[in-house]
Amino acid sequence: MAAHRSGPLKQQNKAHKGGRHRGRGSAQRDGKGRLALKVLSRKVRKELSRVDQRHRASQLRKQKKEAVLAEKRQLGSKDGPPHQVLVVPLHDRISLPEAFRLLQDKDTGTVHLNEWGSTHSFVLLCPRLKHRWYFTSARPGDLHAVLDMAKVADTILFLLDPLEGWDSTGDYCLSCLFAQGLPTYTLAVQGISGLPPRKQIDTRKKLSKAVEKRFPDDKLLLLDTQQEAQMLLRQLANQKQRHLAFRDRRAYMFAHAADFVPSEENNLVGTLKISGYIRGQTLNVNSLLHIIGQGDFQMKQIDAPIDPFLLNPRVVKSQNSGAAMEICAMDAVVDMEEDLKVLMKADPERQESLQTEVIPDPMEGEQTWPTEEELNEANDCLKESSKVVKKVPKGTSSYQAEWILDEDGESGGEDEYDDTEHEDFIEEESQDESSEKEEEEECETMTIGESVHDDLYDENVDEEAEEKMLEKYKQERLQEMFPDEVDTPRDVAARIRFQKYRGLKSFRTSPWDPKENLPQDYARIFQFQNFTSTRKRIFKEIEEKEVEGAEVGWYVTLHVSEVPISVIEYFKRGAPLIVFSLLPHEQKMSVLNMVVSRHPGNTEPVKAKEELIFHCGFRRFRASPLFSQHTAADKHKFQRFLTADVALVATVYGPITFPPASVLLFKQNSNGMHSLIATGHLLSVDPDRMVIKRVVLSGHPFKIFTKMAVVRYMFFNREDVLWFKPVELRTKWGRRGHIKEPLGTHGHMKCSFDGKLKSQDTVLMNLYKRVFPKWTYDPYVPEPVPWMKSEISSTVPERA
């Protein structure tokens, strides 16, 4: 019988290692006295069981639900401020008085009417629903008033037309409100009951499809009868509130009444008494107040009068006697002195200062006469610095040698070039205007055929405005075709015309000191050592620190000192009076950087340093911004026009504002109307953000010898060629080169490149200069002309 033999697929197990194992002593000897880690460096996360995880999740959901319900119950209740509703009609056919008449139902509750100028508002007290509303509306066509009132409104009620929904004016208003940030809103349709019964269902379906593009997942409510008005009120009361970040961290108030007490010294300035409900955060009397469109002010004291809009206003007993007193109208705001209670008075030691600018010391930059020891030290330093050896091209002066970088990428001196003292930008602009006038002379004029209609049309045309707009269009077109290219002047030497510019080996990596050659206006502004950490610290204090003052929901009277009489006159004309409290440092001036995008409804060219109107958070002011690219580098290229395809950064001098804050840019037209130019948000408050202006000088190859070429028309004299000899050249087809030597006395120069040059190529030289915004900040914005449908439709495209 044959024995069994295993095949090639038999399993082979590893052999047992039978050597000596490592013991505790050898491990300690290898550790050389090191101790094991006993305490973990991070917090041990306790693993919960599945039941505990579900319980914790349910508890978190319950807490969030209770917080939302508590906020909803407080708004409009007897302990909270009235539910403020801004009514905005979006079509010309909508009747605002009719809508107010339906909402002012006496069966629903008590109505208190208020009328200031052309602004209509009323308070509706509904004890049955345990809610009170404050309905307001802006003057017809006043865009700034609508935006200001939307900043403090709890809910916006949009009134739609049943056939078209909104017209061009309403579409323009919606664009501005969406860009600023919408609070809670509700859509109501007025006028469907007036249509035939067969068309009502089809009209609602078509309107719902049209509204779905702007307001997805929102239902349309009707507002034609008293029953529908009551349903609308229930919807407003039970709606979930949306938050706006810039107002939730500040105390704000919409004025119900105001009184002005002139001072004894000057009748034009006095104390303004503003009465209203505190919203947002607790208001401290020592903080500063900002009246939208008017400026920053200090408070003297805060009073607590009797609330004129109590939820059950039938009988209120006086404190002096047992007699009953009935409150029926706004006359209850002016009560007797014994009914007023002073909550807080300002403390001069703890009160915030109104200082907005740094007062520069004119002697701070003065140089005293040096002593002999200082002169000897300076001579020694010069001798040491003279020992530095560099390889430079022939004909290079010591001034030009400072531009050339060493092998390690650093220049020989501290400053890259010696600039003259700070000069105003007026000289540069005057030279640009002279070149613009030369271009205007080359423009052709066109004649239009005569007719009766043409004569009537020409009477309404402003020829000067047409010429300026044509020139802007030409400049914007040239900027797109030849970006940053500038003709070298023939009457002024290039080394004088571009003496503030410098050459850079690389725009991205070449060093540039942000503190170098700052203008005089930088001595007037404030700067944070770390803006982000300061902002986080202030916001954390708002959430955790308890502030003494008027609580949210209290009806108080603020005594604002040193207010001009124009504020109360502005309020009596029907404009809303809105007050915001300022966070620390928000009254001080600095440099604001805002990311903005061109609004698609506006096609007119917008040039840099052109005066625009800003809505930045709760502020409104005028300024002339600089535009620059929105990049992550340390240097940002200056843009001469606000382009329509990319987002840019607008830089202006303005009061410090902590983001988040929405930004709207308006431009005042020749007819007095304000058109929306761009929208965006506040990026940072950083004076060190460098905006670099580029100038490109162009030349043409005259003779080409493989990698060598003779270039002309870039300069027109020999001295300019020698002056700009260290600067690197480039071509439109990607070649790099340098100037070898000048040829003759007419600006011709011999250049070498890294490859063969084409005859149709163009030689370019890039020069750079840092630019700063102009100090054109003005907190007072002129009142715009009311909207005109014909002119709004010319700037805003009609919706399909």
Side-chain angles (χ1 to χ4, degrees):
M1 182 175 177
H4 173 74
R5 295 182 181 182
S6 60
L9 301 179
K10 177 178 170 54
Q11 179 179 349
Q12 298 293 333
N13 297 325
K14 292 177 64 177
H16 176 68
K17 295 180 180 180
R20 182 181 176 184
H21 296 284
R22 189 183 184 194
R24 183 182 301 176
S26 62
Q28 291 178 356
R29 285 193 299 270
D30 295 340
K32 296 180 181 179
R34 296 189 183 96
L35 298 177
L37 184 64
K38 295 181 179 179
V39 180
L40 295 178
S41 58
R42 59 182 180 180
K43 188 177 181 180
V44 179
R45 185 175 180 180
K46 185 178 180 181
E47 295 183 1
L48 301 177
S49 63
R50 184 169 297 180
V51 177
D52 294 337
Q53 290 179 2
R54 291 177 180 176
H55 179 68
R56 185 179 62 177
S58 64
Q59 291 293 327
L60 292 175
R61 287 196 302 269
K62 186 177 180 181
Q63 291 177 3
K64 293 180 180 179
K65 186 177 181 180
E66 289 178 354
V68 172
L69 291 176
E71 180 186 6
K72 188 184 297 184
R73 290 165 184 161
Q74 184 182 10
L75 182 62
S77 63
K78 61 178 182 179
D79 298 327
H83 192 153
Q84 186 166 342
V85 181
L86 173 62
V87 183
V88 180
L90 297 179
H91 202 281
D92 289 342
R93 291 198 291 262
I94 294 174
S95 176
L96 189 61
E98 178 65 20
F100 276 13
R101 185 188 64 81
L102 294 174
L103 294 172
Q104 294 172 2
D105 186 12
K106 295 182 179 179
D107 297 336
T108 305
T110 308
V111 178
H112 299 270
L113 296 176
N114 300 322
E115 184 173 350
W116 302 315
S118 57
T119 302
H120 300 277
S121 62
F122 66 93
V123 178
L124 177 62
L125 306 176
C126 185
R128 181 166 53 87
L129 297 177
K130 298 181 180 180
H131 210 84
R132 51 181 179 172
W133 289 271
Y134 180 44
F135 289 90
T136 59
S137 64
R139 291 179 296 179
D142 193 349
L143 176 62
H144 291 316
V146 173
L147 294 177
D148 292 342
M149 296 172 75
K151 294 173 184 176
V152 297
D154 298 317
T155 303
I156 299 180
L157 177 60
F158 293 112
L159 299 181
L160 307 180
D161 182 72
L163 299 178
E164 298 181 7
W166 52 77
D167 54 6
S168 58
T169 305
D171 188 33
Y172 180 62
C173 180
L174 283 177
S175 300
C176 298
L177 289 174
F178 271 100
Q180 179 178 263
L182 273 182
T184 309
Y185 59 89
T186 302
L187 306 177
V189 185
Q190 185 187 65
I192 283 188
S193 60
L195 299 176
R198 296 180 180 179
K199 293 184 178 180
Q200 291 183 6
I201 298 177
D202 295 338
T203 302
R204 292 186 64 177
K205 289 182 179 180
K206 292 180 181 179
L207 185 59
S208 298
K209 291 182 179 180
V211 168
E212 189 176 358
K213 298 178 181 179
R214 276 290 182 101
F215 305 96
D217 301 330
D218 286 326
K219 296 182 180 180
L220 295 176
L221 301 178
L222 302 181
L223 186 60
D224 290 328
T225 61
Q226 297 288 351
Q227 185 179 2
E228 294 172 351
Q230 293 181 4
M231 294 179 61
L232 178 61
L233 291 177
R234 291 182 180 274
Q235 171 68 17
L236 295 176
N238 298 324
Q239 207 169 13
K240 182 180 178 181
Q241 294 298 311
R242 301 173 63 183
H243 294 273
L244 297 179
F246 75 92
R247 75 180 187 184
D248 288 343
R249 294 187 176 96
R250 300 171 177 87
Y252 59 95
M253 174 193 292
F254 185 90
H256 288 255
D259 188 18
F260 183 78
V261 180
S263 62
E264 298 178 356
E265 300 176 356
N266 188 3
N267 293 331
L268 300 178
V269 179
T271 301
L272 181 64
K273 298 181 180 180
I274 307 174
S275 300
Y277 293 91
I278 301 295
R279 302 170 185 268
Q281 294 288 335
T282 303
L283 179 61
N284 193 327
V285 71
N286 294 318
S287 60
L288 297 180
L289 284 183
H290 175 77
I291 302 177
I292 294 183
Q294 305 298 328
D296 304 334
F297 303 96
Q298 290 180 334
M299 288 183 288
K300 290 183 178 179
Q301 68 181 34
I302 299 178
D303 298 339
I306 296 177
D307 191 348
F309 307 114
L310 295 175
L311 193 57
N312 297 311
R314 296 177 181 175
V315 176
V316 177
K317 293 185 178 180
S318 177
Q319 297 179 0
N320 297 334
S321 61
M325 180 174 57
E326 185 177 358
I327 301 176
C328 298
M330 279 296 296
D331 296 337
V333 177
V334 185
D335 290 325
M336 295 181 294
E337 295 183 359
E338 55 267 17
D339 292 334
L340 293 177
K341 179 182 178 182
V342 178
L343 292 179
M344 294 182 67
K345 287 190 176 182
D347 186 1
E349 297 181 355
R350 300 173 56 188
Q351 198 170 23
E352 291 283 345
S353 174
L354 281 173
Q355 182 183 3
T356 59
E357 303 175 14
V358 179
I359 302 175
D361 187 4
M363 302 299 293
E364 189 175 5
E366 291 293 327
Q367 176 65 41
T368 58
W369 188 257
T371 61
E372 294 182 0
E373 296 178 357
E374 293 176 348
L375 290 174
N376 295 331
E377 291 179 0
N379 291 330
D380 295 338
C381 293
L382 288 175
K383 291 178 181 179
E384 293 178 359
S385 62
S386 62
K387 295 179 182 179
V388 178
V389 179
K390 282 186 177 183
K391 290 183 180 181
V392 296
K394 294 181 180 180
T396 304
S397 63
S398 59
Y399 170 73
Q400 294 170 333
E402 295 293 333
W403 285 2
I404 301 177
L405 301 179
D406 297 333
E407 294 181 358
D408 56 354
E410 296 182 356
S411 59
E414 294 180 358
D415 297 328
E416 294 189 9
Y417 81 107
D418 185 16
D419 195 4
T420 57
E421 293 185 354
H422 303 297
E423 297 178 0
D424 199 7
F425 296 103
I426 299 177
E427 298 179 2
E428 180 186 349
E429 293 179 353
S430 62
Q431 293 173 2
D432 294 339
E433 291 177 359
S434 62
S435 61
E436 293 173 3
K437 291 181 180 177
E438 293 179 0
E439 294 179 0
E440 288 180 358
E441 294 176 357
E442 298 177 1
C443 297
E444 297 180 359
T445 58
M446 299 178 62
T447 57
I448 304 175
E450 296 180 357
S451 66
V452 177
H453 298 286
D454 291 342
D455 294 340
L456 296 175
Y457 181 79
D458 290 340
E459 291 179 357
N460 300 325
V461 175
D462 190 355
E463 295 183 359
E464 294 183 1
E466 288 288 324
E467 289 292 332
K468 291 181 180 179
M469 189 59 62
L470 177 61
E471 187 63 30
K472 282 187 178 181
Y473 277 112
K474 291 175 62 178
Q475 291 179 8
E476 187 180 26
R477 181 63 176 167
L478 288 174
Q479 178 65 20
E480 293 177 358
M481 296 174 62
F482 308 100
D484 299 328
E485 289 193 27
V486 176
D487 294 334
T488 306
R490 305 194 62 177
D491 54 345
V492 181
R495 62 185 181 276
I496 298 176
R497 169 65 179 84
F498 304 109
Q499 62 182 344
K500 292 186 178 181
Y501 291 81
R502 69 180 70 177
L504 295 179
K505 188 175 182 179
S506 172
F507 182 78
R508 184 179 63 86
T509 61
S510 295
W512 197 311
D513 187 6
K515 304 296 184 182
E516 176 188 356
N517 295 332
L518 298 178
Q520 192 66 28
D521 290 336
Y522 264 52
R524 303 166 56 185
I525 65 175
F526 292 84
Q527 182 177 4
F528 294 96
Q529 187 174 4
N530 191 336
F531 176 74
T532 304
S533 62
T534 304
R535 172 176 168 270
K536 289 182 179 179
R537 177 182 57 83
I538 292 177
F539 286 176
K540 188 176 181 180
E541 290 179 356
I542 294 174
E543 295 176 358
E544 298 178 356
K545 188 177 180 180
E546 295 183 1
V547 182
E548 297 181 357
E551 298 289 341
V552 177
W554 290 4
Y555 186 85
V556 298
T557 299
L558 309 180
H559 295 251
V560 187
S561 58
E562 301 297 329
V563 179
I565 195 173
S566 59
V567 177
I568 191 65
E569 293 177 353
Y570 181 70
F571 177 63
K572 290 180 178 179
R573 289 198 300 268
L577 187 60
I578 299 172
V579 173
F580 272 87
S581 67
L582 297 182
L583 299 180
H585 312 296
E586 283 195 331
Q587 78 278 12
K588 301 174 183 177
M589 296 291 292
S590 187
V591 178
L592 306 182
N593 302 307
M594 316 169 189
V595 180
V596 296
S597 300
R598 184 73 175 269
H599 188 258
N602 188 277
T603 58
E604 295 183 1
V606 180
K607 197 174 182 180
K609 301 179 184 178
E610 189 175 349
E611 187 181 75
L612 300 176
I613 298 171
F614 287 78
H615 279 253
C616 181
F618 56 89
R619 294 185 186 271
R620 186 171 70 241
F621 57 88
R622 290 185 294 171
S624 301
L626 295 179
F627 299 125
S628 60
Q629 292 181 350
H630 183 35
T631 58
D634 60 340
K635 296 182 287 294
H636 312 273
K637 196 173 82 68
F638 170 75
Q639 295 291 323
R640 289 175 170 81
F641 289 90
L642 180 61
T643 55
D645 52 348
V646 295
L648 299 180
V649 176
T651 303
V652 295
Y653 289 112
I656 295 171
T657 303
F658 291 102
S662 59
V663 174
L664 280 76
L665 271 66
F666 292 88
K667 179 182 176 183
Q668 185 170 3
N669 300 328
S670 57
N671 56 5
M673 294 183 60
H674 294 172
S675 58
L676 182 63
I677 298 296
T679 60
H681 64 277
L682 181 61
L683 177 64
S684 64
V685 181
D686 185 14
D688 286 343
R689 191 179 192 275
M690 291 188 292
V691 180
I692 307 299
K693 182 179 182 180
R694 184 181 70 170
V695 166
V696 179
L697 304 182
S698 60
H700 303 276
F702 179 47
K703 296 178 181 179
I704 300 175
F705 307 97
T706 316
K707 294 185 178 182
M708 301 288 294
V710 178
V711 181
R712 60 180 178 178
Y713 302 147
M714 182 177 289
F715 304 107
F716 298 100
N717 57 71
R718 184 184 183 90
E719 291 77 10
D720 288 343
V721 177
L722 294 173
W723 182 270
F724 291 98
K725 189 176 180 181
V727 184
E728 187 181 18
L729 301 176
R730 67 177 181 91
T731 68
K732 288 189 176 181
W733 285 26
R735 296 300 179 198
R736 298 281 177 173
H738 284 88
I739 301 174
K740 296 292 288 184
E741 58 182 356
L743 298 176
T745 59
H746 295 284
H748 292 205
M749 55 189 180
K750 184 188 292 186
C751 306
S752 63
F753 295 91
D754 58 355
K756 187 176 180 180
L757 204 65
K758 301 291 184 180
S759 60
Q760 63 268 30
D761 204 349
T762 304
V763 182
L764 305 174
M765 177 184 288
N766 295 338
L767 299 176
Y768 302 94
K769 179 189 72 170
R770 184 180 179 184
V771 293
F772 301 91
K774 293 184 177 181
W775 195 284
T776 56
Y777 171 77
D778 187 3
Y780 304 103
V781 178
E783 296 184 24
V785 175
W787 292 331
M788 298 170 61
K789 184 177 180 181
S790 60
E791 301 197 12
I792 288 291
S793 59
S794 63
T795 57
V796 180
E798 291 282 352
R799 296 183 59 87

